[in-house]
Amino acid sequence: DTGVSQDPRHKITKRGQNVTFRCDPISEHNRLYWYRQTLGQGPEFLTYFQNEAQLEKSRLLSDRFSAERPKGSFSTLEIQRTEQGDSAMYLCASSPPAGTGYTFGSGTRLTVV
Amino acid sequence: AQTVTQSQPEMSVQEAETVTLSCTYDTSESDYYLFWYKQPPSRQMILVIRQEAYKQQNATENRFSVNFQKAAKSFSLKISDSQLGDAAMYFCAPHTNSGYALNFGKGTSLLVTP
């Protein structure tokens, strides 16, 4: 296993377009997390999956954001009608049961122009 | 909601010297975990060290160690024999059993000078 993979690494999109990001976690990790990080800040939690169930969503996750994890494997994060304020690094992480720490992917950098 | 405070936005250390990064947090729970993560420029975040709150012994990982003061809710990271490769943003993150997410501080940018 090569760790947590995220695709694409970079995405530039025009305001108003929809974008979708993919995360492939470590195969034996049943927990998957999405975070957003802006320059000079720590990561902010967006949402959490345990297997295929989305168990927690941050209030940061507006109705333009949706995440899925079909079959409890890879996950997708979609942003509809992107806005300039959505420009950020979107990080995915996975973990086994709580307490062991996360393994992060390299992130997807989104730029909305 | 938990709050995490990293009061040092930037720190600088000379190679081979020791530096301590501070972190305080707020939680009402007694059982939780604490983590320090490192994020080098334009690279992914990696776990440096973890501490279980029920353990009194401070965690150590090679040159990295923590000073965990549970009553004071303080969790500092000490880096000994600093190396150029230690230059990065360092984030403190507590994780309680009742919550799913790690809550990150704003980070401390560590500069290592030759």
Side-chain angles (χ1 to χ4, degrees):
Chain A
D1 199 333
T2 56
V4 178
S5 299
Q6 291 190 247
D7 183 69
R9 292 293 302 274
H10 303 277
K11 179 71 176 178
I12 300 174
T13 190
K14 291 184 178 179
R15 191 173 52 185
Q17 298 294 304
N18 299 344
V19 294
T20 300
F21 310 142
R22 177 180 170 122
C23 172
D24 287 89
I26 292 174
S27 56
E28 58 266 29
H29 288 181
N30 65 339
R31 299 177 178 217
L32 186 147
Y33 309 82
W34 285 99
Y35 281 79
R36 180 172 68 186
Q37 186 178 27
T38 53
L39 197 62
Q41 300 295 316
E44 297 173 300
F45 171 74
L46 292 178
T47 191
Y48 158 68
F49 289 86
Q50 185 167 312
N51 300 311
E52 66 275 11
Q54 188 175 22
L55 297 185
E56 188 176 9
K57 289 169 60 175
S58 165
R59 281 169 287 182
L60 292 174
L61 213 64
S62 76
D63 56 5
R64 297 185 297 106
F65 288 70
S66 62
E68 294 183 341
R69 192 184 181 196
K71 303 178 184 179
S73 56
F74 72 91
S75 176
T76 58
L77 177 68
E78 181 183 17
I79 309 174
Q80 296 181 327
R81 306 181 301 281
T82 52
E83 301 172 356
Q84 285 189 321
D86 297 331
S87 296
M89 177 74 84
Y90 289 83
L91 298 171
C92 178
S94 69
S95 79
T100 53
Y102 296 0
T103 300
F104 280 87
S106 298
T108 294
R109 181 168 295 284
L110 173 67
T111 302
V112 181
V113 297
Chain B
Q2 297 170 25
T3 57
V4 182
T5 302
Q6 292 184 249
S7 59
Q8 305 150 316
E10 293 180 352
M11 291 285 285
S12 182
V13 64
Q14 279 193 313
E15 250 185 311
E17 297 298 308
T18 295
V19 65
T20 299
L21 309 183
S22 66
C23 172
T24 58
Y25 58 93
D26 184 24
T27 180
S28 58
E29 301 197 19
S30 59
D31 191 17
Y32 50 91
Y33 303 90
L34 294 156
F35 302 94
W36 277 98
Y37 280 86
K38 168 186 177 181
Q39 189 176 38
S42 301
R43 296 182 64 183
Q44 70 191 89
M45 194 167 309
I46 57 174
L47 177 64
V48 174
I49 196 165
R50 65 187 285 270
Q51 172 81 40
E52 293 149 318
Y54 68 86
K55 288 188 175 180
Q56 292 186 339
Q57 186 173 6
N58 289 322
T60 298
E61 286 286 343
N62 301 315
R63 298 181 295 106
F64 298 87
S65 61
V66 300
N67 183 3
F68 174 47
Q69 302 290 328
K70 190 172 183 178
K73 296 179 182 175
S74 170
F75 182 58
S76 61
L77 174 70
K78 185 171 82 171
I79 306 173
S80 304
D81 186 24
S82 297
Q83 300 175 359
L84 293 176
D86 295 334
M89 284 290 290
Y90 285 82
F91 294 98
C92 171
H95 189 192
T96 65
N97 287 331
S98 64
Y100 298 119
L102 285 178
N103 296 289
F104 288 88
K106 291 191 175 182
T108 295
S109 178
L110 179 66
L111 175 66
V112 182
T113 57

